Amino acid sequence: MEAAAPELPGAPPPYTPPPAGGFPNLLRRIRGQVCTWNILKTIVLGQMLSLSICGTAITSQYLAERYKVNTPMLQSFINYCLLFLIYTVMLAFRSGSDNLLYILKRKWWKYILLGLADVEANYMIVRAYQYTTLTSVQLLDCFGIPVLMALSWFILYARYRVVHFIAVAVCLLGVGTMVGADILAGREGNSGSNVLIGDILVLGGASLYAISNVCEEYIVKKLSREEFLGMVGLFGTIISGLQLMIVEYKDIASIHWDWKIAMLFVAFALCMFCLYSFMPWVIKATSATSVNLGILTADLYSLFFGLFLFGYQFSGLYLLSFSVIMVGFVLYCSSPTRTAEPAESSVPPVTIIGFDNLGLKIEENLQEAHSAAL
């Protein structure tokens, strides 16, 4: 047996032919990128949010159609009160920089603006249904996604790849398919009393939702989930309560209360509370943009429930729409976005050792300098 010739240092590795079956290997590589635990978890969490939104839509429609109750601000007010009772009270019993009074002293005006954006976004979208068609609301509500991406680019320094823009286009194609199915099924709604006002309300509400979601992503990733929910609960309760007394006091006085109406209000509030409580977790794990793409399926869940509750007509395009939206959502999550470095400032970078370790390092340096001086 002949001994193998010794390899010279620095010599290139021997040539190995590429494995056969390039296409199956490509499929396995794509499956390895898509079929991961993180993407599966993101899909499940996103659809839980969609089901919560579906619950709010179904209960609101029941109140409007069966009992002639149109009080979106009252429904939002109950949700903000729940957030206040849970998360704002939680902040009140904390100490240090997480304490409620400490946060209010430093950032009260910022959270007033955030609460105002969140309250008015909810109100404008719901109010738009009185002026324009369901089709217009579904289409124009997607305007919030490019606004959200633009705000994330400039505020959160998010940098997108080509695949992310393709994924967003695929999701919007799925929404277009859903709207087409609504039109063919005769579910597009009436012409509305003033389509222009309704469309402006939808665009404004979608933009405010985008602002609220970007602020939420920043707060839950940089600060804490409890701080976001506590501050939104505090100022959302105040703002919605004042607006409630101004614009809906007559509608509330005309409600003929019984246990069914009360249960529908409770169901709406619980669904909205779950949405607000779980969304920061999902945003922290992914991003505000991916969450908004995932909850595009909420209208489809509302339709599926409406087949049994409201007698909607079924169309195969709805299943196609759901599939297209989910493909776009998975495509978006399969490639993580990167974060660009913010503009240079006079503050030294501390991203490597962290804030806590930075304090220890400074303390050690001061001790060494003191010992050297002695």
Side-chain angles (χ1 to χ4, degrees):
M1 180 181 294
E2 296 182 359
E7 294 185 0
L8 297 177
Y15 172 76
T16 55
F23 185 70
N25 287 336
L26 177 62
L27 290 179
R28 281 195 295 269
R29 189 164 65 248
I30 294 175
R31 186 174 57 188
Q33 292 179 346
V34 174
C35 299
T36 63
W37 167 244
N38 287 332
I39 292 181
L40 178 61
K41 180 176 66 174
T42 303
I43 293 174
V44 172
L45 292 174
Q47 298 317 295
M48 287 177 59
L49 298 180
S50 288
L51 288 173
S52 297
I53 297 175
C54 170
T56 62
I58 293 297
T59 52
S60 295
Q61 191 165 359
Y62 247 107
L63 286 170
E65 292 190 2
R66 300 292 175 88
Y67 302 101
K68 307 302 179 183
V69 175
N70 290 288
T71 55
M73 191 53 62
L74 174 60
Q75 294 164 231
S76 297
F77 175 75
I78 299 174
N79 168 59
Y80 290 123
C81 287
L82 290 176
L83 294 176
F84 174 83
L85 293 175
I86 301 298
Y87 296 104
T88 308
V89 173
M90 186 184 301
L91 292 178
F93 286 97
R94 288 189 172 185
S95 59
S97 60
D98 292 332
N99 181 261
L100 176 63
L101 294 178
Y102 183 86
I103 296 172
L104 290 176
K105 288 179 181 179
R106 293 173 59 88
K107 295 172 285 189
W108 60 271
W109 64 272
K110 296 179 181 179
Y111 284 115
I112 287 179
L113 296 178
L114 174 59
L116 185 65
D118 195 79
V119 170
E120 298 307 323
N122 289 323
Y123 181 75
M124 292 172 74
I125 292 293
V126 175
R127 186 60 67 185
Y129 285 99
Q130 297 184 5
Y131 297 99
T132 188
T133 62
L134 173 65
T135 302
S136 296
V137 173
Q138 289 174 324
L139 284 175
L140 296 178
D141 193 30
C142 298
F143 176 73
I145 294 177
V147 173
L148 179 58
M149 295 180 71
L151 292 175
S152 298
W153 181 284
F154 291 106
I155 297 176
L156 304 177
Y157 302 103
R159 295 298 179 262
Y160 303 100
R161 308 174 191 272
V162 176
V163 66
H164 295 126
F165 294 103
I166 296 175
V168 171
V170 171
C171 288
L172 296 181
L173 177 63
V175 175
T177 306
M178 176 178 61
V179 171
D182 283 340
I183 294 174
L184 293 177
R187 188 174 165 256
E188 70 275 12
N190 53 34
S191 60
S193 59
N194 197 321
V195 176
L196 179 60
I197 293 178
D199 292 346
I200 292 174
L201 287 174
V202 176
L203 294 175
S207 301
L208 291 176
Y209 266 131
I211 294 173
S212 177
N213 288 153
V214 168
C215 295
E216 180 175 2
E217 181 174 355
Y218 179 85
I219 294 170
V220 299
K221 289 185 176 181
K222 300 291 185 180
L223 301 172
S224 70
R225 164 181 171 267
E226 289 77 14
E227 179 171 335
F228 170 79
L229 294 173
M231 291 296 101
V232 169
L234 173 61
F235 292 108
T237 300
I238 296 173
I239 296 171
S240 62
L242 293 175
Q243 190 166 341
L244 174 67
M245 291 186 293
I246 296 173
V247 300
E248 284 188 359
Y249 67 95
K250 292 183 179 179
D251 296 326
I252 297 174
S254 63
I255 298 176
H256 301 287
W257 290 95
D258 60 19
W259 69 271
K260 294 181 181 179
I261 294 179
M263 290 301 297
L264 287 173
F265 271 97
V266 170
F268 176 91
L270 290 177
C271 290
M272 187 67 80
F273 179 79
C274 291
L275 174 65
Y276 271 75
S277 297
F278 292 138
M279 184 175 282
W281 274 329
V282 186
I283 287 181
K284 187 173 184 178
T286 56
S287 67
T289 304
S290 63
V291 169
N292 278 265
L293 292 176
I295 62 178
L296 289 176
T297 56
D299 288 333
L300 292 168
Y301 288 129
S302 300
L303 164 80
F304 295 147
F305 281 102
L307 294 174
F308 304 98
L309 299 176
F310 304 108
Y312 291 158
Q313 295 183 6
F314 178 77
S315 172
L317 289 177
Y318 290 120
L319 295 179
L320 176 63
S321 172
F322 181 84
S323 302
V324 172
I325 292 175
M326 292 306 300
V327 167
F329 178 60
V330 172
L331 186 63
Y332 185 93
C333 296
S334 64
S335 180
T337 59
R338 64 183 182 89
T339 302
E341 293 295 329
E344 295 183 359
S345 64
S346 58
V347 180
V350 296
T351 55
I352 297 178
I353 58 178
F355 287 104
D356 295 335
N357 293 334
L358 176 64
L360 295 175
K361 191 70 176 176
I362 293 174
E363 185 177 355
E364 291 174 1
N365 292 337
L366 290 175
Q367 292 177 353
E368 291 175 1
H370 182 66
S371 300
L374 292 176

